[in-house]
Amino acid sequence: MKTVYLDYSATTPLDPRSFDAMRPFFLEKFGNASSIHRVGQEARAALDNSRDKIAQLLAVDAGEIYFVSGGTEANNFALKCIAWRMREDGKTHIITSKSEHHAILDTCEYLEHTGFQVSYIDVDDYGMVEPEEIGKRVRSTTGLITTMHSNNEIGTINPISEIAAIAHEHNVIFHSDAVQSFGKIPLRVPDLQVDSLSLSAHKIYGPKGIGVLYVRKGIEIERLMHGGGQERGRRAGTENIPLIVGFATSAELIISEMESEQGRISELRNKMKSMLQQKNSFIIFNGHPTHVLPNILNISFDSRKIDIDGEALLFNLDLAGIAVASGSACTSGSMTPSHVLSAMGRDLKTAKASIRFSLGRATTEEDLDYTVNTLEGIINRIGKVIV
């Protein structure tokens, strides 16, 4: 059976070049970067070199980069540790959007239980956060604003620099989750003007279990984990050198190949969209038509025109060897309607009957032809047209 993987926004395969770079640090160069002997200092050199590489790609100082276990920890680190510190200054209000990843939303919910107030901003019909809506919610007690750079389900890119300007105008710290953006579109911190930023390696053909939190120099945050003095005392625990080396290698590779690869993927995405438009009149395309990641195409089946079970849709695609998602990989197992699509105003049935196609390095035109044709057959078999 043919296998087509179109779920690159959930995770990506490890780049063999990154695996080769990691391998020595699993087997021969296994030292603890905190040890003062030669074996330990070999690991320390790899740690420092990797930090320098990622800092250069983001156009920031190496001292502003913290290695963590992934995007979820990076978001928890940023929100909790900034919030705990800002409370000392009487700041207890946080602003975010209703379309954020659950790593942000669930952390905000936790902070609400500990005495913080959180304002959840609506998004527009494209799932975009409007800066002026952020500005309307700022209070004297607002200490933190967090908005994702691009949405992981629909690919919409938010006007981050505009939101950052509003935050800084009110002396508010601004955090952004850029897990889906990094490596797919140009991303430099000086352009975005963010105070903190989250990244994850396994979205860019790096290893799972490693991420980065950027924190601008001068931003005071509490430490996340207590113990040793690793990561400048803010995150205790022995650094995972093999994964850190893999992250830095994957980051360098994806940035160096970004222009040509994302141009190719964007063309494939546009072709797929055109094919779907020609073959099916029941489809709604979710996300902004132009301010969108080049690799994500999210569709819903309009419940006013066709009755189709979303779970059966994904099940039949899987049986045909096609791997896609209905939303975030962190919640897709529950088959609950996407909170992002609900925030955009999609009704329950339409939101449930949705598919996120996310393309990557191995995606071919043949993959898309097979997927579109297979999807058409499944719709004809399990869908009920509403006359």
Side-chain angles (χ1 to χ4, degrees):
M1 180 178 67
K2 183 177 178 65
T3 299
V4 176
Y5 185 76
L6 293 175
D7 201 15
Y8 284 88
S9 289
T11 196
T12 57
L14 180 64
D15 190 313
R17 295 168 292 183
S18 297
F19 179 76
D20 289 341
M22 294 164 61
R23 183 179 173 85
F25 295 93
F26 280 117
L27 301 175
E28 299 97 26
K29 303 178 181 182
F30 54 85
N32 186 322
S34 296
S35 299
I36 61 172
H37 48 63
R38 184 179 303 173
V39 177
Q41 290 308 296
E42 188 174 45
R44 168 61 63 180
L47 172 64
D48 292 343
N49 185 48
S50 297
R51 199 186 309 273
D52 288 342
K53 287 180 179 179
I54 292 175
Q56 288 171 11
L57 295 174
L58 294 176
V60 301
D61 292 336
E64 298 173 311
I65 298 295
Y66 297 86
F67 288 110
V68 295
S69 67
T72 294
E73 184 186 330
N75 286 328
N76 273 260
F77 192 170
L79 268 60
K80 291 177 182 177
C81 296
I82 291 172
W84 294 335
R85 179 55 67 92
M86 76 188 201
R87 182 158 51 188
E88 297 177 5
D89 298 324
K91 304 286 188 178
T92 57
H93 180 233
I94 299 167
I95 300 174
T96 190
S97 82
K98 293 180 179 178
S99 63
E100 298 297 307
H101 191 279
H102 281 289
I104 293 290
L105 294 176
D106 289 359
T107 304
C108 285
E109 183 179 351
Y110 159 78
L111 289 169
E112 285 184 286
H113 290 310
T114 65
F116 290 89
Q117 297 86 45
V118 181
S119 294
Y120 298 91
I121 305 298
D122 290 326
V123 294
D124 67 15
D125 293 342
Y126 299 123
M128 182 177 285
V129 179
E130 298 178 344
E132 55 269 27
E133 293 302 314
I134 296 279
K136 291 176 184 177
R137 298 295 189 95
V138 177
R139 314 171 185 168
S140 61
T141 56
T142 305
L144 173 64
I145 297 171
T146 176
T147 305
M148 66 198 328
H149 186 260
S150 60
N151 191 274
N152 55 299
E153 294 190 22
I154 58 174
T156 294
I157 301 169
N158 284 312
I160 294 301
S161 61
E162 295 178 39
I163 299 172
I166 291 171
H168 296 153
E169 180 184 345
H170 293 89
N171 197 30
V172 173
I173 295 172
F174 181 51
H175 169 73
S176 187
D177 175 350
V179 166
Q180 288 293 342
S181 301
F182 186 57
K184 302 179 182 71
I185 56 176
L187 192 156
R188 296 174 72 258
V189 167
D191 298 331
L192 299 179
Q193 290 297 303
V194 296
D195 297 308
S196 65
L197 191 80
S198 301
L199 306 176
S200 182
H202 78 101
K203 308 294 188 180
I204 59 166
Y205 307 91
K208 296 175 180 64
I210 188 69
V212 155
L213 176 66
Y214 157 79
V215 180
R216 182 170 61 81
K217 195 174 296 182
I219 299 294
E220 294 296 326
I221 65 173
E222 292 290 339
R223 61 173 57 195
L224 176 67
M225 297 172 66
H226 295 78
Q230 294 89 351
E231 298 304 293
R232 294 175 300 288
R234 284 177 168 169
R235 185 189 185 270
T238 302
E239 297 94 346
N240 194 326
I241 303 302
L243 300 193
I244 289 170
V245 169
F247 190 173
T249 304
S250 293
E252 278 194 318
L253 290 168
I254 201 166
I255 296 300
S256 67
E257 300 168 359
M258 181 174 63
E259 185 174 354
S260 60
E261 178 62 7
Q262 295 310 320
R264 182 188 74 86
I265 288 176
S266 183
E267 288 182 8
L268 288 175
R269 178 190 179 276
N270 292 339
K271 177 186 177 181
M272 187 178 199
K273 183 176 182 179
S274 178
M275 289 191 294
L276 288 168
Q277 285 175 320
Q278 292 172 13
K279 289 180 175 289
N280 201 303
S281 61
F282 311 121
I283 289 177
I284 299 172
F285 292 95
N286 300 309
H288 199 280
T290 55
H291 299 293
V292 64
L293 293 178
N295 68 311
I296 292 180
L297 183 63
N298 189 300
I299 66 171
S300 294
F301 289 88
D302 192 340
S303 64
R304 298 168 299 180
K305 298 180 180 180
I306 189 170
D307 185 5
I308 191 164
D309 184 278
E311 189 169 2
L313 187 61
L314 293 187
F315 179 73
N316 278 272
L317 284 168
D318 186 48
L319 286 178
I322 302 169
V324 295
S326 61
S328 169
C330 301
T331 57
S332 59
S334 64
M335 282 308 298
T336 56
S338 161
H339 72 284
V340 176
L341 298 181
S342 296
M344 292 166 56
R346 300 285 182 254
D347 64 85
L348 182 63
K349 281 192 173 181
T350 300
K352 280 190 171 183
S354 301
I355 305 172
R356 179 189 66 185
F357 302 102
S358 48
L359 288 57
R361 283 178 179 168
T363 305
T364 64
E365 289 190 28
E366 291 75 17
D367 290 337
L368 303 187
D369 290 337
Y370 175 72
T371 299
V372 172
N373 291 329
T374 301
L375 179 61
E376 183 181 23
I378 293 171
I379 295 166
N380 291 336
R381 190 166 65 251
I382 70 172
K384 182 181 179 182
V385 177
I386 298 173
V387 179

